[in-house]
Amino acid sequence: MSAGNTGGTRVAVVTGGGSGMGRAIVHRLARDGFAVAILDIDAANADKVAAEVREGGGTALAVGAADVSDRAKVDAAIGRVRAELGPVLVLVNNAGITGFREFLSITEEKWRRIMAVNLDGPFHCAQAVLPDMIDAGWGRIVNISSSSAQGGQQYMAHYVASKAGLIGFTKSLALEFGPKGITVNTIPPGFIDTPMMRESERRGMFGGTVEDHAARTPVRRPGTPEDIAAACAFLVSDEAGYITGQIIGVNGGRNT
Ligand code: NAP
């Protein structure tokens, strides 16, 4: 029996699990035998994904209206997960929002909202679940950052700054919690076909279509939510126990 295996099913929390790559991560972790809690600001989507998992024979709990930027809501949500499923041993900080604006037009309000969701959210969620992981002597945190934080992205200074912060956050937690059996890694996705990406295309944020971008991507296709879920499934497995503090790019070769 491996560390952290208490004999029962391990519990994973996926934020933003009601859409896009979060939804794919939920399905993949449920297939891999985790009981999965879906924390999403959109309660209807969280319910829908939880129902899909249960129809497939998995265990899922929807915790809707869980705004990760709100400390009290996060604490209440994690309290409910703990009470209904058990201690949380895996956290995937996936919920995020984007923005596209010339730097001089970014309002303070927009700057603060992006930071609140993309950076404060992982801070709140990690503080809420780490005590469970420390008790178990085993834990896995995966932070979904962005390839834009590796190279920069014009008109997205607020978003890129939040995601670059998440990379530093990842490295720092990895150092602090490695001795306790907890790994912390980040996946910076690049060009993944999700509702967020299609909305960016619709708003002209690409300077072209998804197909134009695919033609410039080494593997010649957009990524799928399942590509991210596969990397995430590996990072939360027992086998990945010697990998921590790492940036695992999943981007079709766009950033190396
Ligand atoms: P998505 O389809 O928009 O899914 C994100 C989910 O998070 C949505 O269900 C969204 O709800 C939810 N959410 C938003 N704000 C929240 C909050 N405050 N609390 C809880 N849940 C919240 O996006 P995605 O493309 O799958 O993106 C997932 C992650 O990957 C994000 O962190 C994103 O920044 C990152 N990423 C995506 C790409 C890409 O190519 N798609 C590239 C790099 C990084 P609503 O729909 O109601 O807002």
Side-chain angles (χ1 to χ4, degrees):
M1 188 180 290
S2 53
N5 186 341
T6 53
T9 305
R10 284 178 179 159
V11 176
V13 164
V14 180
T15 70
S19 174
M21 57 187 91
R23 174 174 171 270
I25 293 167
V26 168
H27 278 289
R28 175 60 195 259
L29 296 190
R31 269 212 321 279
D32 288 356
F34 291 91
V36 188
I38 303 157
L39 268 60
D40 204 292
I41 201 165
D42 185 323
N45 275 348
D47 285 342
K48 188 163 157 285
V49 175
E52 291 167 0
V53 169
R54 287 194 289 263
E55 275 162 29
T59 302
L61 172 69
V63 188
D67 181 345
V68 295
S69 72
D70 183 325
R71 179 61 166 236
K73 289 207 169 109
V74 168
D75 285 346
I78 297 299
R80 194 177 147 206
V81 174
R82 206 175 272 130
E84 295 192 29
L85 297 179
V88 178
L89 297 190
V90 170
L91 169 66
V92 182
N93 278 314
N94 164 79
I97 54 173
T98 190
F100 188 74
R101 189 150 286 201
E102 286 178 8
F103 178 66
L104 293 176
S105 304
I106 295 174
T107 61
E108 186 181 351
E109 186 190 16
K110 184 68 181 170
W111 174 275
R112 297 228 174 276
R113 183 63 191 156
I114 288 202
M115 292 296 166
V117 177
N118 295 1
L119 197 50
D120 298 4
F123 164 67
H124 296 319
C125 292
Q127 283 201 335
V129 302
L130 271 162
D132 288 353
M133 298 179 183
I134 293 166
D135 281 352
W138 191 95
R140 299 280 186 265
I141 298 177
V142 178
N143 296 316
I144 306 296
S145 53
S146 171
S147 62
S148 65
Q150 295 172 291
Q153 185 75 41
Q154 68 177 349
Y155 308 138
M156 297 183 84
H158 42 0
Y159 177 79
V160 172
S162 72
K163 294 297 190 177
L166 195 52
I167 291 173
F169 175 75
T170 299
K171 293 183 178 191
S172 300
L173 291 197
L175 295 176
E176 188 168 341
F177 293 102
K180 304 205 180 295
I182 299 162
T183 67
V184 189
N185 292 288
T186 182
I187 299 172
F191 191 46
I192 309 297
D193 200 348
T194 67
M196 180 188 277
M197 191 182 86
R198 290 291 167 179
E199 174 63 12
S200 299
E201 178 190 42
R202 195 188 63 73
R203 293 170 58 197
M205 287 162 60
F206 284 166
T209 63
V210 167
E211 287 65 36
D212 296 333
H213 268 253
R216 292 196 292 272
T217 299
V219 305
R220 298 289 190 272
R221 65 169 177 87
T224 63
E226 289 71 26
D227 288 323
I228 302 300
C232 191
F234 174 61
L235 289 173
V236 306
S237 70
D238 281 313
E239 286 173 298
Y242 201 53
I243 302 172
T244 194
Q246 301 303 308
I247 303 169
I248 310 293
V250 181
N251 56 43
R254 291 162 63 88
N255 300 72
T256 55

